Amino acid sequence: MTYSGHCMCGAIRYQLAGEPNVVAVCHCSDCQRSAGAPMVTWAMFPDAALTVTQGQPKTINSSGTAMRSFCGDCGTGLFYRNAAILPGIVDIQSSTLDDPEALPPTMQIQTAERLGWVKQLHALPEFERFPE
Protein backbone atom coordinates (compact mmCIF):
# COMPACT_ATOMS: atom_id res chain seq x y z
CA MET A 1 0.00 0.00 0.00
CA THR A 2 1.09 3.57 -0.62
CA TYR A 3 0.02 6.57 1.46
CA SER A 4 0.65 10.22 0.79
CA GLY A 5 0.32 13.39 2.80
CA HIS A 6 1.20 17.03 3.11
CA CYS A 7 1.42 20.02 5.42
CA MET A 8 -1.37 22.58 5.67
CA CYS A 9 0.09 24.99 3.09
CA GLY A 10 1.22 22.25 0.68
CA ALA A 11 4.91 23.22 0.71
CA ILE A 12 5.85 19.74 2.01
CA ARG A 13 4.52 16.55 0.43
CA TYR A 14 5.51 12.99 1.28
CA GLN A 15 4.79 9.36 0.41
CA LEU A 16 4.89 6.20 2.50
CA ALA A 17 5.36 2.67 1.17
CA GLY A 18 3.95 -0.35 2.99
CA GLU A 19 1.92 -0.64 6.14
CA PRO A 20 2.58 0.99 9.50
CA ASN A 21 4.01 -1.01 12.39
CA VAL A 22 1.39 0.57 14.66
CA VAL A 23 -0.88 3.60 14.81
CA ALA A 24 -1.20 5.15 18.26
CA VAL A 25 -2.67 8.18 19.97
CA CYS A 26 0.08 9.72 22.11
CA HIS A 27 -0.79 11.70 25.22
CA CYS A 28 2.76 12.70 26.27
CA SER A 29 3.40 16.27 27.32
CA ASP A 30 6.03 16.72 24.57
CA CYS A 31 3.45 15.89 21.88
CA GLN A 32 0.91 18.13 23.59
CA ARG A 33 3.35 21.04 23.64
CA SER A 34 4.62 20.44 20.11
CA ALA A 35 1.15 20.18 18.56
CA GLY A 36 -0.64 22.64 20.81
CA ALA A 37 -3.23 19.89 21.24
CA PRO A 38 -4.20 17.40 23.96
CA MET A 39 -2.95 14.43 21.91
CA VAL A 40 -1.37 13.44 18.58
CA THR A 41 -1.99 10.35 16.48
CA TRP A 42 1.16 8.79 15.03
CA ALA A 43 1.60 6.13 12.34
CA MET A 44 4.93 4.35 12.87
CA PHE A 45 6.77 3.24 9.72
CA PRO A 46 10.28 2.01 8.94
CA ASP A 47 12.31 5.12 8.10
CA ALA A 48 13.01 3.74 4.61
CA ALA A 49 9.23 3.80 3.87
CA LEU A 50 9.18 7.63 3.90
CA THR A 51 10.02 9.75 0.87
CA VAL A 52 9.65 13.52 0.97
CA THR A 53 8.51 14.34 -2.57
CA GLN A 54 8.27 18.12 -2.28
CA GLY A 55 9.89 20.73 -0.07
CA GLN A 56 12.28 20.36 2.83
CA PRO A 57 10.95 19.96 6.38
CA LYS A 58 12.67 21.82 9.18
CA THR A 59 13.87 19.56 12.02
CA ILE A 60 14.57 20.48 15.62
CA ASN A 61 15.78 18.53 18.62
CA SER A 62 12.75 18.84 20.88
CA SER A 63 14.01 16.90 23.90
CA GLY A 64 17.20 14.89 24.20
CA THR A 65 17.27 12.49 21.28
CA ALA A 66 13.80 13.40 19.94
CA MET A 67 13.84 15.01 16.50
CA ARG A 68 10.61 16.65 15.28
CA SER A 69 10.17 17.72 11.65
CA PHE A 70 7.63 20.27 10.51
CA CYS A 71 6.89 22.69 7.69
CA GLY A 72 8.96 25.83 8.14
CA ASP A 73 6.30 27.86 6.32
CA CYS A 74 3.01 26.88 8.00
CA GLY A 75 4.32 25.06 11.09
CA THR A 76 2.46 21.79 10.51
CA GLY A 77 4.07 18.97 12.50
CA LEU A 78 4.94 16.04 10.24
CA PHE A 79 7.54 13.53 11.48
CA TYR A 80 9.13 12.31 14.69
CA ARG A 81 12.36 10.32 15.00
CA ASN A 82 14.21 9.13 18.09
CA ALA A 83 17.20 6.93 17.21
CA ALA A 84 17.81 6.09 20.87
CA ILE A 85 14.42 4.51 21.59
CA LEU A 86 13.01 3.90 18.07
CA PRO A 87 16.00 3.16 15.81
CA GLY A 88 15.14 3.03 12.10
CA ILE A 89 11.59 4.27 12.74
CA VAL A 90 9.77 7.42 11.67
CA ASP A 91 6.45 8.43 13.16
CA ILE A 92 4.10 10.33 10.86
CA GLN A 93 1.41 12.62 12.25
CA SER A 94 -1.46 10.71 10.70
CA SER A 95 -3.74 13.74 10.43
CA THR A 96 -1.38 15.02 7.71
CA LEU A 97 -2.21 12.06 5.47
CA ASP A 98 -4.28 12.85 2.38
CA ASP A 99 -6.72 10.29 3.81
CA PRO A 100 -6.36 10.37 7.61
CA GLU A 101 -9.22 7.85 7.94
CA ALA A 102 -7.04 5.23 6.22
CA LEU A 103 -4.96 4.57 9.35
CA PRO A 104 -7.13 4.59 12.48
CA PRO A 105 -5.33 4.25 15.82
CA THR A 106 -5.17 0.85 17.47
CA MET A 107 -3.91 1.99 20.89
CA GLN A 108 -3.25 4.93 23.20
CA ILE A 109 0.21 5.48 24.64
CA GLN A 110 1.76 7.67 27.35
CA THR A 111 -1.61 7.76 29.13
CA ALA A 112 0.19 8.64 32.38
CA GLU A 113 0.41 12.18 30.92
CA ARG A 114 -3.10 12.27 29.45
CA LEU A 115 -5.00 15.40 30.40
CA GLY A 116 -7.73 14.46 32.87
CA TRP A 117 -10.58 15.99 30.90
CA VAL A 118 -9.78 13.98 27.74
CA LYS A 119 -11.50 10.92 29.27
CA GLN A 120 -14.74 12.94 29.45
CA LEU A 121 -14.87 14.16 25.83
CA HIS A 122 -17.51 11.59 24.89
CA ALA A 123 -19.91 13.18 27.42
CA LEU A 124 -19.74 16.70 25.94
CA PRO A 125 -22.44 18.03 23.58
CA GLU A 126 -21.59 17.56 19.90
CA PHE A 127 -22.22 19.89 16.97
CA GLU A 128 -21.47 19.02 13.32
CA ARG A 129 -20.42 22.64 12.76
CA PHE A 130 -20.14 25.72 14.97
CA PRO A 131 -23.19 25.95 17.26
CA GLU A 132 -25.64 28.77 16.62
Side-chain angles (χ1 to χ4, degrees):
M1 183 64 90
T2 301
Y3 301 96
S4 59
H6 63 281
C7 65
M8 181 181 279
C9 74
I12 309 291
R13 291 204 57 83
Y14 65 86
Q15 287 190 331
L16 296 158
E19 293 299 319
N21 299 355
V22 70
V23 181
V25 176
C26 184
H27 294 276
C28 81
S29 59
D30 286 345
C31 283
Q32 292 169 11
R33 180 72 56 194
S34 173
M39 65 198 88
V40 176
T41 303
W42 296 101
M44 181 186 289
F45 282 84
D47 201 29
L50 172 65
T51 303
V52 175
T53 59
Q54 178 179 303
Q56 181 63 41
K58 182 173 181 174
T59 300
I60 63 164
N61 182 322
S62 64
S63 56
T65 57
M67 305 301 288
R68 292 180 185 269
S69 299
F70 57 94
C71 175
D73 292 334
C74 68
T76 302
L78 297 164
F79 317 126
Y80 172 89
R81 292 178 176 91
N82 191 325
I85 62 172
L86 298 168
I89 298 295
V90 60
D91 275 326
I92 311 298
Q93 286 196 25
S94 65
S95 291
T96 66
L97 291 167
D98 292 340
D99 180 10
E101 295 277 358
L103 297 175
T106 57
M107 67 177 69
Q108 298 184 62
I109 60 173
Q110 303 287 24
T111 58
E113 297 176 44
R114 179 173 47 207
L115 299 175
W117 54 262
V118 169
K119 285 185 172 183
Q120 309 308 319
L121 288 177
H122 69 282
L124 297 177
E126 294 184 16
F127 302 90
E128 286 188 19
R129 300 285 180 222
F130 286 107
E132 294 182 19

